[in-house]
């Protein structure tokens, strides 16, 4: 997506240590970028913190982003930082409302790259319906960072119909995934490894909050658990849930949705797509009675058009995830034992 937002004329081309000093250069950078692009009534106060009005049960989440490269097919570190925290809040059954935004920038980062990241943040916030209300900017010496790291934290009220907890998972629950797996991780790896395919593999980074809230509004307590399979992929998330809840999970390989080119890229690099990171997917544990209706509703949403039921909760083999292959064989799914794809988000 080409984002059109002309960069203002500045008297510097790269970020220097002075831009993190809190003085004149810091104010030039923030005035011409952050405060202008992300303007809202709360941020425009320019106070040490934000004054918020929150009512009822509220979700809070934080995440840090150090993806490399910072620009990749389908997105950049800016929108990834917004979408990541927005989605974490959505997994709690919350409507994300306010985010904090903090940068750690390496000396020498081109201002044009910083501007492009800010523009992506602006549009990601608009799509998700959230506001940046406070933040921070620091600059480290060249060689002591890697271009830019971002932290976002967020808050939002819990939907009154949301009852999201591992304690709600029950035998018979169906496990739904919202779309094709492994796209984000392989988009990053295709750039790193210089791989070329018939068409570009793009990250799936997107906000999921509107999709989630519509499902909760329609099916409420029948949605027992929501989680996003980011680092460690689908396999690690399901194994963590099986262990912590002392349940068994049956998983069916034939039902796992994956783009053909992503599958080919995984095979080429010797990677199991079950362990590859995703940034625009969620997994839902749904009551057996409502699973088909939830799936049908989800498939009507652009962000859930490739959704599938991929497994179920069973009382056999507690704490274990067992996957049935396409030819009927079975294997135990474990957590990711080490770092498969470093700096993936």
């Amino acid at each position: 997506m080409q984002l059109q937002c002309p960069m203002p004329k500045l008297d510097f081309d790269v970020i220097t240590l002075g831009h993190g000093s809190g003085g004149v250069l810091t104010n030039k950078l923030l005035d011409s970028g952050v405060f202008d692009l992300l303007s809202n009534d709360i941020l425009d106060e320019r106070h040490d913190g934000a004054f918020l009005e929150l009512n009822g049960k509220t979700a809070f989440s934080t995440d840090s982003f150090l993806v490399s490269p910072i620009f990749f097919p389908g997105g950049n570190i800016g929108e990834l930082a917004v979408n990541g925290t927005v989605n974490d809040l959505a997994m709690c059954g919350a409507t994300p409302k306010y985010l904090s935004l903090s940068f750690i920038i390496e000396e020498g980062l081109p201002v044009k790259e910083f501007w492009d990241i800010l523009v992506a943040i602006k549009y990601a916030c608009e799509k998700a319906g959230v506001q940046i209300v406070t933040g921070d900017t620091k600059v480290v010496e060249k060689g002591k960072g890697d271009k830019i790291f971002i932290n976002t934290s967020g808050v939002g009220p819990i939907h009154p119909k949301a009852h999201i907890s591992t304690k709600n998972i029950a035998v018979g629950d169906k496990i739904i995934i919202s779309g094709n797996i492994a796209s984000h991780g392989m988009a990053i790896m295709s750039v790193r490894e210089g791989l070329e395919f018939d068409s570009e593999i793009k990250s799936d980074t997107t906000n999921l909050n509107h999709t989630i809230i519509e499902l909760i509004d329609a099916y409420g307590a029948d949605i027992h658990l929501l989680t996003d399979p980011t680092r460690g992929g689908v396999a690690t998330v399901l194994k963590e849930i099986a262990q912590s809840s002392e349940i068994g999970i049956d998983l069916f390989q034939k039902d796992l949705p994956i783009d053909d080119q992503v599958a080919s890229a995984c095979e080429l690099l010797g990677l199991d797509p079950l362990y590859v990171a995703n940034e625009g997917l969620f997994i839902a544990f749904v009551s057996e009675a409502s699973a088909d209706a939830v799936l049908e509703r989800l498939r009507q949403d652009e962000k859930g058009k490739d959704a599938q039921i991929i497994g179920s909760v069973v009382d056999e083999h507690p704490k274990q995830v067992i996957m049935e292959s396409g030819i009927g064989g079975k294997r135990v799914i474990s957590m990711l034992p080490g770092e498969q794809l470093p700096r993936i988000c």
Side-chain angles (χ1 to χ4, degrees):
M1 178 174 63
Q2 296 296 316
L3 304 179
Q4 301 299 323
C5 203
M7 189 175 82
K9 292 182 179 179
L10 302 170
D11 57 2
F12 50 89
D13 297 322
V14 298
I15 305 296
T16 67
L17 286 174
H19 289 108
S21 67
V24 172
L25 288 177
T26 300
N27 279 274
K28 280 187 177 181
L29 181 66
L30 297 181
D31 288 344
S32 59
V34 176
F35 288 124
D36 185 38
L37 272 180
L38 305 178
S39 175
N40 60 69
D41 290 343
I42 301 173
L43 185 65
D44 290 349
E45 290 282 341
R46 301 195 184 195
H47 200 270
D48 289 348
F51 301 99
L52 308 176
E53 292 188 8
L54 300 171
N55 296 306
K57 192 174 181 180
T58 302
F60 171 73
S61 187
T62 188
D63 208 345
S64 297
F65 300 84
L66 40 75
V67 65
S68 178
I70 60 174
F71 295 94
F72 47 83
N76 66 49
I77 191 172
E79 62 197 278
L80 191 67
V82 173
N83 292 336
T85 293
V86 163
N87 291 344
D88 284 346
L89 291 169
M91 297 308 117
C92 299
T95 299
K97 289 189 69 72
Y98 305 114
L99 300 184
S100 69
L101 172 67
S102 295
F103 300 108
I104 297 177
I105 305 172
E106 183 186 22
E107 177 187 19
L109 179 75
V111 172
K112 177 62 167 63
E113 292 189 5
F114 185 57
W115 178 259
D116 289 343
I117 289 167
L118 285 175
V119 172
I121 288 170
K122 168 185 170 64
Y123 282 100
C125 285
E126 290 176 355
K127 286 174 64 179
V130 297
Q131 293 180 317
I132 303 293
V133 295
T134 190
D136 186 45
T137 302
K138 296 291 193 299
V139 180
V140 298
E141 300 93 332
K142 192 168 184 62
K144 294 190 176 180
D146 189 0
K147 294 191 174 183
I148 186 170
F149 301 150
I150 302 177
N151 173 272
T152 50
S153 297
V155 294
I158 302 290
H159 191 290
K161 291 185 178 180
H163 300 280
I164 308 300
S165 173
T166 54
K167 296 177 182 178
N168 296 334
I169 298 173
V171 171
D173 279 2
K174 298 300 181 182
I175 301 169
I176 297 174
I177 193 159
S178 62
N180 291 331
I181 66 172
S183 296
H184 174 73
M186 296 320 299
I188 302 297
M189 288 304 296
S190 65
V191 175
R192 288 185 192 170
E193 301 296 328
L195 301 178
E196 294 185 3
F197 299 93
D198 292 338
S199 61
E200 190 176 47
I201 295 176
K202 293 185 178 181
S203 168
D204 59 354
T205 179
T206 191
N207 65 294
L208 298 168
N209 53 313
H210 303 309
T211 302
I212 292 291
I213 291 302
E214 286 183 8
L215 289 177
I216 292 174
D217 201 48
Y219 299 100
D222 284 339
I223 299 174
H224 295 162
L225 184 69
L226 295 165
T227 186
D228 54 346
T230 52
R231 288 176 299 167
V234 172
T236 297
V237 165
L238 292 181
K239 178 62 175 178
E240 287 174 346
I241 292 169
Q243 283 190 330
S244 65
S245 302
E246 300 186 355
I247 59 169
I249 292 176
D250 282 345
L251 193 62
F252 302 99
Q253 186 178 33
K254 65 180 178 60
D255 296 324
L256 286 165
I258 184 169
D259 177 81
D260 289 342
Q261 291 209 115
V262 171
S264 297
C266 288
E267 185 174 357
L268 185 63
L269 294 174
L271 299 174
D272 187 337
L274 276 177
Y275 294 93
V276 176
N278 310 276
E279 287 292 342
L281 295 184
F282 66 89
I283 291 173
F285 285 67
V286 180
S287 69
E288 186 173 13
S290 295
D292 288 340
V294 171
L295 180 64
E296 183 179 355
R297 178 73 169 261
L298 182 54
R299 284 176 172 172
Q300 294 171 10
D301 190 301
E302 178 62 25
K303 296 177 183 179
K305 59 185 176 62
D306 295 313
Q308 293 279 2
I309 294 174
I310 61 171
S312 59
V313 177
V314 297
D315 54 10
E316 295 90 1
H317 55 81
K319 298 187 178 182
Q320 297 292 331
V321 180
I322 306 294
M323 185 172 76
E324 182 178 305
S325 72
I327 58 173
K330 295 185 177 182
R331 71 177 172 109
V332 176
I333 300 297
S334 59
M335 286 188 191
L336 184 65
E339 184 61 82
Q340 185 186 52
L341 300 173
R343 305 278 302 278
I344 207 71
C345 61

